[in-house]
Amino acid sequence: MVQHQITAPLIVVSNRLPFVLQRNKDGVISRKASAGGLVTAVAPVVVDCGGLWIGWSGLHSKEPLEFIPESDPDDKAPTAGLLSKQVVAVHIPEREFDDFYNGCCNGTFWPLFHSMPDRAVFKAHTWDAYCSVNREFANCTLQALRNSLRELDEQEKFETCPVVWIHDYQLLVAATTIRQVIEEEKLRCKLAFFLHIPFPSWDIMRLFPWDDEILQGMLACDMVGFHIEDYCLNFIDCCSRRLGCRVDRNNMLVELAGRTVHIKALPIGIPFDRFVQLAETTPRFLKLAESEKIILGVDRLDYTKGLVHRILAFERLLEKYPEHVEKVTLLQISVPSRTDVREYRQLKEEMDQLVGRINGRFSMPNWSPIRYIYGGVTQEQLAAFYRDSAVALVTPLRDGMNLVAKEYVACQIREPGVLILSPFAGAGGMMHEALVVNPYEIDKAADTIHRALNMPLDEREVRMKQLRHREQQMDVNHWMNSFLASMGAVNNSDQADPLSTKMTPLTLDDFDQYLNNHIDTICKLSLILDYDGTLAPLTSHPDLAIMPEETKRVLERLSNMPDVNIAIISGRSLENVKKMVGLDQLTYAGSHGIEILHPDGTKFVHPVPFEYAEKLRELVQLLEKEVGHSGAWVEHKGVLLTFHYRETPSQQRDEIVRKACEIFQKAGFEPHEAHMAIEAKPPVKWDQGRACIHILRTMYGADWSERVRIVYAGTEAAMQALSGIACTFRVDSSPTVRTAANFRLEGPDAVLTMLKWVEKQMNKRSPRLTRSPRLSRSPKHQRKQNTLDYSLSFEDEEDIVGNTSASFLINGRQRRFNSNCLSSN
Ligand code: ADQ
């Protein structure tokens, strides 16, 4: 009996509960053991530590299940000790479950994660169902966690930190909600995720339209486990390339919003001793003619398992090596799986036809080449089949690990057989002594089966001994203990908690990787920077958001460099942002770029419809009257309005935001989300993105791309417009944001480091000129200086939104411009 010295309650969350619930025709629910390796390893730990198991019951009902039966007194299964109070059945309406499970889990993630993207279906409504079911799992988990913490507190175990362990591809985003709530409610817990299937490469993962939400969901955990290192590296790569996270591949760490997430290879094992014991005690089931050999295949009937390829390889064996006719039989056992899904029903038909055709082709009066069982068999029978087979064919096209390969070697207690294994199963990378064959190479696979059937005993013994030794060492209990150790949840007082290892703080060197390929030694550099949250920390009131002195000094030095231009873009009014930054040599874009002021005094103002101002005033009054309380307040900034709710107590926020949005919409405004605020913007086709392009064209003309490098740091508002043009940094401390940025930075400190890096690089340029008068760098500027004086005008809306022409008041006279020429003079 293996001791798991767990130091905290373990809360396991998986799609299904660890036993099967059945309802008889009288509606009475009974509980039946389920025998998987995962349950065998994990259930005793949950029982011992007084933990909990959260999962779907497997039964559809209108109402949540009112009770879970206790186990039968004769039940000897590992879950027998799991009391009903330790089980939480998640209730999901049947329609939603279908979209979640058949639609998204099996229709999208299963094929995609097994690198078969052409089988994957991407549908918004099944993804919505997936997210909603994940939230329901998360809410049940949170309730369980609160109960668990209450019990610990009652026992004065204030230091004990429960471990929540979420399993598999059905629950990839559950941790998003759990993380949000545990942080809000300050619930102590360690969060872990384990994926039982492969994690695909970035090329495949990026096909999924909501891939960022998946990655962020997994990163909401403290530890993310995969079977093998390849999957870990694929995941880390996706986090770096899709989310722009800082990663440490050597130590397998990913940083998101300042939190370090540990990525770990935890290869699952099997209950080795139990399979040995079954192999030792179970009688023979197979009746074989003398010298007849069995080649065994055992799988769920799934297209990833390579069943069709396997049968074809066997057919090829009989064609190519006819000496095996009447001597060798393929015993294929296929458990029905996901029979609700069309592709699985089609696979069954294909298999039936294929087996029929080959049997028809080769059968003799007393021999048929393939014995095909479509159904489950007991573990005893399975162990006997494993033991009595000369060869096991484990040839999936793709498989997370594959337990059949491991179970087969465990049962080789007599004259050893040969394991043939696909390199595309996780097990393929570790079970080196197996004969490894690419299942797509039918001819080669036939040769390999032939080799296995003829392998001398001494070679078989050597190979099998090694294979068995490894599986015995790395059995499922080893896996469980490795998991607990990686969570710092075992009695090991002399060792530090592995989760306390953090990623090294961001340094200048990190920007070598981010920017070295972007910034060269010749081109000019344009830095476009947001203010709030990027240069200055976010604060309760805009007036308090002061940029650190050090940042100001670096910006000042950069702005004095001949090759550097800096533009600050903000939702604040132009005047205000200029005052907050307080440097002269910069371009400022206020009101999200509606007003732009260059250091030479050139000013651009995008016109705004006349009636907008009046409507905005009405909105201000309405908001102040209806929702201007509980810490919420309205800021009227000329053409913009911001409704701030940062100071509103969290319990009241949802309600106040809902009401405010209603008021916005009633007043004819689209509510735009900002940092703990909602904004009203004028109905013009002008935004921060277009303002940035405008600034760049004004500074450098239209053909700047060869001469200028651009770095943007800020919010999403300009990201789309600058993607591909600039190196973009999303500055945000929220762990769950959708971004088109190349990289993420946590906040103003990281931006300061970036500015220092830029300064260091630019200082390397020699000879260093002191700043010439700015306008000499841009003939365009020179011509424009003091010749145009744009001022804000409220114009006819159609003219502006129509995007073909716009009117301006220039030096007091109205002029009409084609919008394409906005930046030209
Ligand atoms: P599965 O895709 O289900 O698991 P696998 O690892 O092979 O694949 O496990 C199948 C289990 O079902 C084995 O324990 C086997 O004994 C049992 N089984 C198969 N056919 C059977 C039959 N006809 N009758 C009775 N029992 C049968 C997922 C991933 C795998 C990963 C596991 C564990 O797809 O890659 O190894 O989870 O993490």
Side-chain angles (χ1 to χ4, degrees):
M1 179 68 192
V2 180
Q3 288 298 313
H4 306 278
Q5 292 174 318
I6 184 164
T7 52
L10 178 64
I11 302 176
V12 176
V13 192
S14 64
N15 182 41
R16 295 293 291 263
L17 287 174
F19 43 71
V20 181
L21 290 181
Q22 288 172 329
R23 198 196 308 262
N24 72 12
K25 57 182 182 328
D26 303 322
V28 178
I29 294 171
S30 63
R31 175 167 156 175
K32 222 181 105 204
S34 127
L38 171 76
V39 172
T40 314
V42 182
V45 182
V46 177
V47 172
D48 288 353
C49 69
L52 289 152
W53 202 304
I54 293 156
W56 179 57
S57 67
L59 293 175
H60 285 297
S61 56
K62 283 210 174 69
E63 300 299 323
L65 285 186
E66 57 289 358
F67 90 112
I68 306 273
E70 299 294 350
S71 62
D72 202 90
D74 305 330
D75 192 348
K76 297 275 181 297
T79 49
L82 200 64
L83 303 174
S84 65
K85 67 172 184 184
Q86 290 176 280
V87 175
V88 178
V90 181
H91 176 73
I92 303 156
E94 195 167 349
R95 261 303 274 288
E96 191 174 40
F97 187 85
D98 186 53
D99 281 342
F100 153 74
Y101 187 67
N102 292 324
C104 198
C105 296
N106 295 332
T108 309
F109 292 142
W110 181 265
L112 192 74
F113 280 44
H114 284 87
S115 300
M116 298 181 177
D118 43 348
R119 287 181 185 265
V121 181
F122 305 121
K123 287 188 183 155
H125 78 277
T126 60
W127 166 241
D128 288 346
Y130 183 86
C131 293
S132 147
V133 168
N134 270 246
R135 276 194 298 274
E136 185 55 26
F137 269 85
N139 289 333
C140 290
T141 308
L142 284 160
Q143 200 43 48
L145 177 65
R146 289 185 196 104
N147 295 341
S148 182
L149 286 170
R150 197 173 312 120
E151 276 176 30
L152 288 170
D153 290 350
E154 278 163 15
Q155 297 160 24
E156 300 191 359
K157 293 181 178 167
F158 302 114
E159 300 299 311
T160 307
C161 192
V163 175
V164 172
W165 193 10
I166 304 169
H167 284 264
D168 226 359
Y169 66 104
Q170 299 91 353
L171 298 172
L172 293 162
V173 296
T176 303
T177 310
I178 299 178
R179 171 67 57 193
Q180 251 162 25
V181 176
I182 59 175
E183 284 187 357
E184 260 174 40
E185 296 183 18
K186 302 200 172 21
L187 304 175
R188 60 185 191 279
C189 115
K190 290 179 178 179
L191 257 178
F193 182 86
F194 187 80
L195 188 70
H196 289 262
I197 64 175
F199 194 87
S201 66
W202 158 241
D203 267 4
I204 300 282
M205 191 61 195
R206 67 196 299 197
L207 299 177
F208 184 64
W210 301 276
D211 58 345
D212 56 338
E213 292 181 44
I214 299 285
L215 298 168
Q216 292 175 75
M218 295 169 82
L219 289 175
C221 294
D222 299 296
M223 196 281 288
V224 180
F226 300 93
H227 285 305
I228 58 170
E229 202 174 289
D230 279 355
Y231 307 155
C232 296
L233 294 173
N234 281 348
F235 177 71
I236 294 174
D237 195 37
C238 287
C239 294
S240 158
R241 298 177 76 164
R242 179 64 180 91
L243 300 183
C245 289
R246 221 155 61 88
V247 301
D248 174 348
R249 287 182 174 80
N250 291 335
N251 295 304
M252 299 238 253
L253 303 172
V254 178
E255 188 182 63
L256 182 69
R259 226 167 32 78
T260 299
V261 182
H262 295 242
I263 315 301
K264 200 158 170 56
L266 291 167
I268 198 168
I270 53 157
F272 187 91
D273 295 340
R274 187 155 63 90
F275 273 93
V276 172
Q277 194 216 337
L278 285 173
E280 279 169 352
T281 53
T282 312
R284 206 179 168 88
F285 289 100
L286 290 167
K287 290 199 169 55
L288 301 177
E290 206 187 328
S291 80
E292 187 182 348
K293 286 181 175 171
I294 291 288
I295 300 173
L296 181 67
V298 177
D299 314 77
R300 274 187 311 100
L301 190 63
D302 193 295
Y303 52 79
T304 59
K305 302 288 180 183
L307 289 157
V308 170
H309 294 72
R310 184 183 307 165
I311 305 274
L312 291 174
F314 181 67
E315 181 183 31
R316 186 78 192 108
L317 172 86
L318 298 179
E319 279 170 3
K320 204 170 170 184
Y321 303 100
E323 65 266 36
H324 297 302
V325 170
E326 286 189 280
K327 297 277 188 308
V328 171
T329 303
L330 171 64
L331 172 60
Q332 176 62 50
I333 304 167
S334 300
V335 205
S337 177
R338 303 174 195 170
T339 45
D340 290 347
V341 180
R342 186 168 45 90
E343 274 190 296
Y344 287 77
R345 291 197 298 268
Q346 282 172 350
L347 178 63
K348 178 182 181 301
E349 275 171 31
E350 191 179 356
M351 284 290 289
D352 288 351
Q353 282 175 12
L354 194 60
V355 170
R357 182 177 67 71
I358 295 170
N359 273 346
R361 181 176 170 197
F362 290 98
S363 283
M364 302 284 186
N366 292 314
W367 173 80
S368 288
I370 305 175
R371 296 186 205 177
Y372 179 53
I373 300 175
Y374 175 65
V377 293
T378 64
Q379 283 221 312
E380 286 76 12
Q381 281 175 316
L382 200 56
F385 291 150
Y386 285 141
R387 182 194 60 207
D388 300 331
S389 298
V391 176
L393 262 184
V394 183
T395 50
L397 306 179
R398 194 82 180 126
D399 211 337
M401 176 55 85
N402 194 295
L403 300 179
V404 170
K406 294 170 178 259
E407 292 165 3
Y408 175 72
V409 302
C411 293
Q412 293 303 293
I413 54 167
R414 296 182 189 160
E415 188 187 315
V418 179
L419 172 66
I420 298 180
L421 187 54
S422 159
F424 311 128
M430 297 178 172
M431 301 177 83
H432 316 289
E433 301 80 5
L435 298 188
V436 176
V437 70
N438 178 345
Y440 293 98
E441 288 187 70
I442 305 287
D443 213 62
K444 193 84 184 291
D447 292 345
T448 309
I449 302 172
H450 177 67
R451 181 181 161 203
L453 289 167
N454 290 311
M455 188 182 281
L457 178 63
D458 55 353
E459 184 180 346
R460 277 185 278 144
E461 278 175 346
V462 172
R463 289 178 182 273
M464 195 50 74
K465 197 160 187 270
Q466 293 296 329
L467 284 166
R468 297 191 78 235
H469 178 69
R470 185 182 305 107
E471 292 313 318
Q472 189 167 25
Q473 299 296 305
M474 296 182 64
D475 70 353
V476 75
N477 288 314
H478 175 268
W479 175 72
M480 186 68 210
N481 284 332
S482 308
F483 164 74
L484 293 174
S486 72
M487 296 301 290
V490 278
N491 262 339
N492 226 343
S493 48
D494 49 335
Q495 275 182 18
D497 181 349
L499 294 182
S500 62
T501 308
K502 300 286 173 234
M503 239 171 112
T504 49
L506 183 90
T507 63
L508 290 184
D509 295 345
D510 286 289
F511 290 93
D512 287 348
Q513 185 206 332
Y514 299 157
L515 287 169
N516 254 351
N517 289 336
H518 188 70
I519 295 177
D520 59 20
T521 50
I522 309 157
C523 287
K524 286 178 182 290
L525 177 67
S526 175
L527 288 170
I528 306 180
L529 307 164
D530 192 67
Y531 184 76
D532 291 278
T534 298
L535 291 174
L538 293 170
T539 51
S540 55
H541 192 285
D543 292 348
L544 303 175
I546 311 287
M547 185 166 75
E549 198 50 34
E550 197 180 357
T551 308
K552 189 169 176 176
R553 296 283 80 90
V554 180
L555 280 178
E556 189 172 28
R557 290 194 296 273
L558 281 168
S559 70
N560 281 324
M561 291 184 179
D563 288 347
V564 181
N565 282 315
I566 302 173
I568 310 292
I569 189 156
S570 169
R572 290 169 181 261
S573 71
L574 179 59
E575 257 170 54
N576 183 260
V577 67
K578 188 165 186 260
K579 191 183 99 198
M580 296 305 281
V581 175
L583 295 170
D584 287 335
Q585 316 251 37
L586 277 49
T587 294
Y588 290 96
S591 305
H592 292 305
I594 285 187
E595 317 162 84
I596 300 170
L597 177 68
H598 292 285
D600 59 4
T602 312
K603 195 172 178 192
F604 161 83
V605 179
H606 193 282
V608 168
F610 285 123
E611 70 274 17
Y612 171 78
E614 184 49 36
K615 275 173 68 181
L616 200 66
R617 270 192 292 277
E618 283 166 18
L619 178 63
V620 173
Q621 281 167 9
L622 270 173
L623 286 169
E624 277 175 347
K625 189 164 148 239
E626 304 280 331
V627 283
H629 56 80
S630 314
W633 61 284
V634 186
E635 187 187 7
H636 190 177
K637 312 185 265 191
V639 288
L640 295 185
L641 170 155
T642 307
F643 173 73
H644 296 269
Y645 60 85
R646 182 178 296 276
E647 293 296 284
T648 305
S650 58
Q651 320 82 278
Q652 286 167 262
R653 259 184 222 154
D654 285 354
E655 183 54 18
I656 219 159
V657 168
R658 191 190 59 73
K659 266 198 189 158
C661 286
E662 255 178 42
I663 296 170
F664 269 70
Q665 271 150 356
K666 259 197 209 145
F669 288 89
E670 197 190 323
H672 293 270
E673 207 182 311
H675 292 298
M676 290 284 188
I678 309 170
E679 285 188 327
K681 295 180 184 174
V684 291
K685 289 209 167 165
W686 190 255
D687 56 20
Q688 287 205 14
R690 289 194 59 188
C692 288
I693 302 289
H694 174 91
I695 291 169
L696 291 166
R697 289 187 55 154
T698 310
M699 284 179 184
Y700 306 110
D703 60 340
W704 41 262
S705 60
E706 292 296 306
R707 295 176 287 117
V708 186
R709 295 286 177 266
I710 300 145
V711 174
Y712 170 78
T715 63
E716 215 56 22
M719 215 64 89
Q720 293 280 355
L722 292 174
S723 74
I725 298 174
C727 181
T728 52
F729 292 91
R730 170 73 192 248
V731 189
D732 204 318
S733 59
S734 156
T736 48
V737 286
R738 174 154 268 210
T739 181
N742 298 108
F743 305 105
R744 275 174 199 244
L745 298 177
E746 199 201 338
D749 287 349
V751 176
L752 173 59
T753 311
M754 188 260 281
L755 294 174
K756 286 182 182 169
W757 183 91
V758 171
E759 185 183 20
K760 193 172 124 200
Q761 292 305 108
M762 298 313 280
N763 272 332
K764 285 183 194 161
R765 293 188 178 186
S766 60
R768 209 178 148 228
L769 304 168
T770 45
R771 184 187 178 82
S772 50
R774 181 187 178 89
L775 297 176
S776 67
R777 283 180 295 137
S778 164
K780 273 174 158 310
H781 273 121
Q782 209 156 20
R783 271 189 278 127
K784 275 168 81 172
Q785 193 185 21
N786 300 327
T787 56
L788 300 179
D789 176 22
Y790 305 140
S791 62
L792 182 64
S793 94
F794 290 103
E795 252 298 338
D796 181 68
E797 187 176 351
E798 274 197 357
D799 261 350
I800 296 146
V801 176
N803 197 26
T804 49
S805 64
S807 301
F808 302 88
L809 286 179
I810 299 171
N811 289 340
R813 283 194 301 136
Q814 200 155 59
R815 296 214 183 152
R816 189 161 288 268
F817 282 84
N818 185 299
S819 63
N820 292 333
C821 314
L822 284 180
S823 64
S824 64
N825 36 9

